[in-house]
Amino acid sequence: MKKDKIPEISVGIQVKNSIEFTLKGKYRIHEINISGSWKASWDKNVICLSNGKENLSFENEILISPLNENEEQFILHAVTIGIGFHWQRDEDQAFKGSLKLIIENGKLRAINVLPLEYYLMSVISSEMSATSSLELLKAHAVISRSWLLAQIYKNEGLQLEGKKYQSTFQTDIELIKWYDREDHTYFDVCADDHCQRYQGITRSTTKFVEEAVKSTWGEVLEFEGQICDARFSKCCGGKVEVFENVWEPINHPYLQSFEDSDINDAKTDLRTELKASAWILGEPDVFCNTSDKTILSQVLNDYDQETNDFFRWTVIYTQEEISELINRKTGVDFGSICDLIPLERGDSGRLIKLKIVGANKTMIIGKELEIRKVLSESHLYSSAFVVNKNEDGDGVIFELKGAGWGHGVGLCQIGASVMGAKGYKYHEILKHYFRGAGLNKRY
């Protein structure tokens, strides 16, 4: 990618047996002009388009491009958002740029192709509210741009080296797995929380969003000349986590652990059970410990606001409930779950390894997202939790008391929102969460 040119990226939006879309304006496939509502299906490596009156067919893949990129938009119908989360739902979404359709593993994949900066205007409106403070939006524009470019360069490097990315290590008694974006081979980034939320121009964009992107145009975080893998999560729970405790075992000096406060000498080590428990069960004075609805509305979109206990939370299971859940989610016959034993914690108190003790089998699982997936129908808010095993008249109860929402690495969105409300500028917010990194304009 040239430094003096805005990169064009491809975003995987949806994958289905058939895809319905509406072209609002004039589009073109090869030399064929096309508009209106269409249904795409496929048969024997041929993509078929029909609008009820006209039928078109193309081999392997097609690119539907607008004649005027600034004016035209297309709508994808029944796009699933929040995949695997408690607020998963379908909605119609509108997009700028081109629509690419490919056949992928026996289904159709819809991909949005557009310039990176226009993608960012949607991302920071989808990840947060478009009415957020300008400094928060600027900070998020920089980290979203940095993260995506870092991933693209990383993939290019892996392809040149011919390396296969491995993120699962399994034996009969242990499963260690992390979830990154190694499964995206036909596009640069997906549209859901697995990468960055991207919902086209469906979420309202404000003048603040446009100003945030335009005023940071081409600006990225760098460390020693390399674009930073700038991660972020909803709420760190009071302490930021280290990158390698969540993903691959590579240390990024700018993604370290610290308390989410303006006290620079705060060095609470939460890797021991005693200190992690005291922290998780406590109410530390940190940026993301807020109940200010005005501030929270900047970060939490309408469906996110269905979750209001993100800083400290409690989940309770009966022994029967947790046994059925774990057996079903893992596909392993543990039998009745006898205990959940924390084995290893990261710097923020998040569990890296958890031992599941069952009547039929005992097994160790990790890393943090695998633990969250196994202990919830969707995703447990975080892996920063303590386990209380109690007995009452009805049997054994497992109480999980936890902190934070998400992996906790890099920028804490709610903490950053509080910083913005306190008057911090975007470069100060970035300096707080990405220590040692600097800003550089790439194009």
Side-chain angles (χ1 to χ4, degrees):
M1 289 179 288
K2 296 181 180 179
K3 291 186 178 181
D4 60 348
K5 183 180 178 182
I6 302 173
E8 189 173 71
I9 63 166
S10 57
V11 189
I13 307 297
Q14 66 177 167
V15 57
K16 289 188 171 184
N17 292 321
S18 63
I19 291 174
E20 296 185 23
F21 60 93
T22 300
L23 305 172
K24 300 177 75 66
K26 297 178 180 179
Y27 285 74
R28 179 171 291 174
I29 307 174
H30 302 306
E31 299 302 317
I32 302 172
N33 290 334
I34 181 175
S35 62
S37 296
W38 294 80
K39 181 177 181 179
S41 57
W42 72 278
D43 181 49
K44 297 178 181 178
N45 294 325
V46 174
I47 298 176
C48 306
L49 301 181
S50 175
N51 63 0
K53 297 178 181 179
E54 187 178 4
N55 297 301
L56 304 172
S57 60
F58 306 88
E59 289 189 6
N60 297 318
E61 67 178 51
I62 58 175
L63 183 68
I64 307 172
S65 302
L67 297 186
N68 188 324
E69 193 171 72
N70 293 324
E71 295 181 5
E72 322 292 23
Q73 62 177 265
F74 65 89
I75 296 173
L76 283 174
H77 300 287
V79 176
T80 303
I81 66 171
I83 297 172
F85 287 87
H86 56 283
W87 43 265
Q88 178 174 318
R89 67 199 66 183
D90 287 352
E91 67 176 23
D92 293 348
Q93 293 183 350
F95 299 89
K96 290 286 191 179
S98 300
L99 170 61
K100 186 177 183 180
L101 296 173
I102 66 172
I103 300 171
E104 178 188 343
N105 300 323
K107 291 189 176 182
L108 277 179
R109 165 76 72 176
I111 298 170
N112 185 199
V113 181
L114 77 167
L116 172 57
E117 296 299 319
Y118 297 104
Y119 162 82
L120 286 178
M121 289 187 187
S122 170
V123 164
I124 62 175
S125 300
S126 302
E127 280 288 347
M128 302 177 298
S129 168
T131 58
S132 298
S133 69
L134 180 58
E135 296 304 312
L136 176 60
L137 293 171
K138 285 181 181 179
H140 220 294
V142 172
I143 62 174
S144 293
R145 184 184 295 113
S146 302
W147 176 84
L148 180 53
L149 289 174
Q151 298 310 306
I152 292 174
Y153 288 138
K154 176 183 175 182
N155 273 8
E156 288 177 352
L158 289 172
Q159 290 173 10
L160 286 173
E161 295 172 9
K163 290 184 178 180
K164 180 175 175 58
Y165 187 84
Q166 185 176 0
S167 60
T168 301
F169 299 85
Q170 186 170 9
T171 67
D172 186 54
I173 60 172
E174 186 174 52
L175 171 62
I176 303 300
K177 182 176 182 178
W178 62 86
Y179 295 79
D180 221 333
R181 51 179 307 279
E182 67 280 358
D183 54 338
H184 299 332
T185 55
Y186 299 102
F187 46 88
D188 295 318
V189 63
C190 70
D192 216 57
D193 293 72
H194 180 255
C195 294
Q196 296 184 120
R197 282 187 196 171
Y198 170 69
Q199 293 160 1
I201 56 175
T202 305
R203 303 283 169 240
S204 60
T205 299
T206 65
K207 64 178 182 179
F208 271 9
V209 169
E210 293 181 4
E211 184 178 346
V213 172
K214 289 177 180 177
S215 64
T216 65
W217 197 272
E219 198 170 56
V220 297
L221 281 166
E222 288 188 358
F223 183 83
E224 296 184 348
Q226 299 296 315
I227 297 178
C228 293
D229 188 346
R231 304 290 172 126
F232 57 90
S233 65
K234 198 66 65 181
C235 175
C236 69
K239 188 158 189 193
V240 178
E241 187 51 83
V242 175
F243 177 90
E244 56 265 38
N245 288 339
V246 175
W247 291 288
E248 58 193 320
I250 295 176
N251 178 262
H252 293 301
Y254 53 85
L255 291 176
Q256 296 303 314
S257 183
F258 50 86
E259 287 187 22
D260 190 24
S261 70
D262 52 11
I263 303 174
N264 294 323
D265 59 351
K267 292 181 171 56
T268 306
D269 187 349
L270 305 182
R271 289 175 292 180
T272 67
E273 282 304 302
L274 186 63
K275 290 184 178 179
S277 178
W279 176 268
I280 291 169
L281 298 177
E283 288 283 337
D285 183 14
V286 290
F287 288 133
C288 59
N289 184 5
T290 181
S291 57
D292 188 317
K293 291 185 177 180
T294 300
I295 291 176
L296 293 178
S297 67
Q298 296 181 25
V299 177
L300 304 180
N301 279 312
D302 49 0
Y303 41 83
D304 282 334
Q305 292 183 42
E306 296 169 15
T307 302
N308 54 25
D309 56 349
F310 53 86
F311 185 72
R312 292 295 183 268
W313 48 265
T314 301
V315 174
I316 297 174
Y317 294 112
T318 65
Q319 187 173 33
E320 291 75 16
E321 287 171 338
I322 202 166
S323 299
E324 189 280 330
L325 177 66
I326 291 175
N327 281 289
R328 173 164 47 85
K329 294 299 288 288
T330 62
V332 175
D333 181 16
F334 284 94
S336 182
I337 299 300
C338 306
D339 211 349
L340 300 174
I341 303 173
L343 289 187
E344 183 180 350
R345 291 188 183 273
D347 299 60
S348 71
R350 281 169 171 77
L351 281 169
I352 302 172
K353 291 185 178 181
L354 175 71
K355 180 187 283 188
I356 301 175
V357 181
N360 297 340
K361 186 177 181 64
T362 295
M363 192 170 183
I364 297 168
I365 64 168
K367 293 184 176 182
E368 67 93 32
L369 186 51
E370 182 68 12
I371 294 170
R372 292 165 61 195
K373 282 175 170 285
V374 168
L375 294 180
S376 172
E377 289 292 348
S378 55
H379 296 64
L380 202 65
Y381 294 148
S382 83
S383 69
F385 62 86
V386 293
V387 181
N388 295 321
K389 181 182 169 186
N390 305 305
E391 291 192 29
D392 60 17
D394 297 322
V396 178
I397 299 294
F398 286 85
E399 181 184 57
L400 311 182
K401 298 187 78 67
W405 184 359
H407 52 71
V409 177
L411 181 136
C412 171
Q413 289 176 312
I414 291 175
S417 182
V418 171
M419 290 184 72
K422 287 178 174 287
Y424 287 86
K425 300 301 182 184
Y426 85 101
H427 59 88
E428 294 174 312
I429 295 173
L430 294 172
K431 184 179 180 181
H432 171 70
Y433 288 108
F434 302 95
R435 301 186 175 190
L439 290 170
N440 185 32
K441 193 173 180 65
R442 282 273 175 150
Y443 51 83

